[in-house]
Amino acid sequence: MPSLDEMLQALRGAIGIALGDENAMRHFEVSTEAFFRSFFAFIPALPFYLLITTAEWRIISETPEVTLALDKNGFLISQFLSAALSWIVFPVVLGILARPFAITRSYAQYIIAYNWASLPVLAAISFPFLLFSVGMLPKEGVTFIHLFLLLGVLWYRWKIALTALGRGAGLAAGIVLLDIGTEIMVEFAIGAAFF
């Protein structure tokens, strides 16, 4: 389990990447142990996932044109499994492709930065869902703001790949597309199993 200091330093590095800090990667501990500890970022990410998923359920249930085969608990479980599998599948797929992509030396530091950067990403993405949950934003506003934030997340994921891998903008864009592709595959598989 990572120490509080390691988590805070990693978050400092993650935010530093977004702000263009050239020394941001120095805040991440890079070792085999730190690689595996970075997956513990999923634990503090859980409240964000819960907030987003419960708000999504409420939006879906308040939309008469949409019907789901699942009840609320089934929906929450399917979304949680999708999130958990995404945290595993993308690093495994990228690990398999690390040699052909010539990123074996920087793979671990990229995954470490990617995992810890998921926390500020989820904090940003959850913001419109929080506003909806407390009645300050209509569901249409959530959709608009969420789409706008997703564009920012794509840029940020590209920036992480560019910074941590150091292999150029084109490969960084390819890594982001791979990330999106694996997430779609995971959601499709979970959807096929639950819906």
Side-chain angles (χ1 to χ4, degrees), residues 12-138:
R12 184 176 177 190
I15 292 167
I17 290 172
L19 298 175
D21 178 2
E22 293 179 8
N23 298 314
M25 290 304 297
R26 293 183 185 172
H27 296 287
F28 297 100
E29 181 182 333
V30 180
S31 66
T32 302
E33 295 81 16
F35 172 83
F36 289 107
R37 283 195 307 265
S38 74
F39 288 90
F40 278 95
F42 185 72
I43 293 170
L46 286 173
F48 296 116
Y49 283 120
L50 184 61
L51 172 65
I52 292 166
T53 305
T54 53
E56 285 177 333
W57 172 259
R58 197 169 135 217
I59 290 169
I60 291 169
S61 65
E62 291 176 3
T63 306
E65 303 84 32
V66 179
T67 56
L68 283 178
L70 296 174
D71 63 3
K72 183 177 181 180
N73 290 336
F75 180 77
L76 293 175
I77 290 168
S78 71
Q79 295 300 98
F80 172 77
L81 283 174
S82 179
L85 282 174
S86 291
W87 275 69
I88 298 166
V89 172
F90 174 63
V92 168
V93 170
L94 187 59
I96 292 167
L97 296 172
R99 186 176 303 276
F101 286 175
I103 57 169
T104 52
R105 290 187 177 190
S106 54
Y107 166 77
Q109 76 176 9
Y110 168 71
I111 294 297
I112 291 167
Y114 177 91
N115 284 346
W116 288 113
S118 295
L119 293 174
V121 163
L122 286 166
I125 294 270
S126 67
F127 184 66
F129 293 99
L130 175 64
L131 293 178
F132 171 76
S133 296
V134 297
M136 294 178 65
L137 188 66

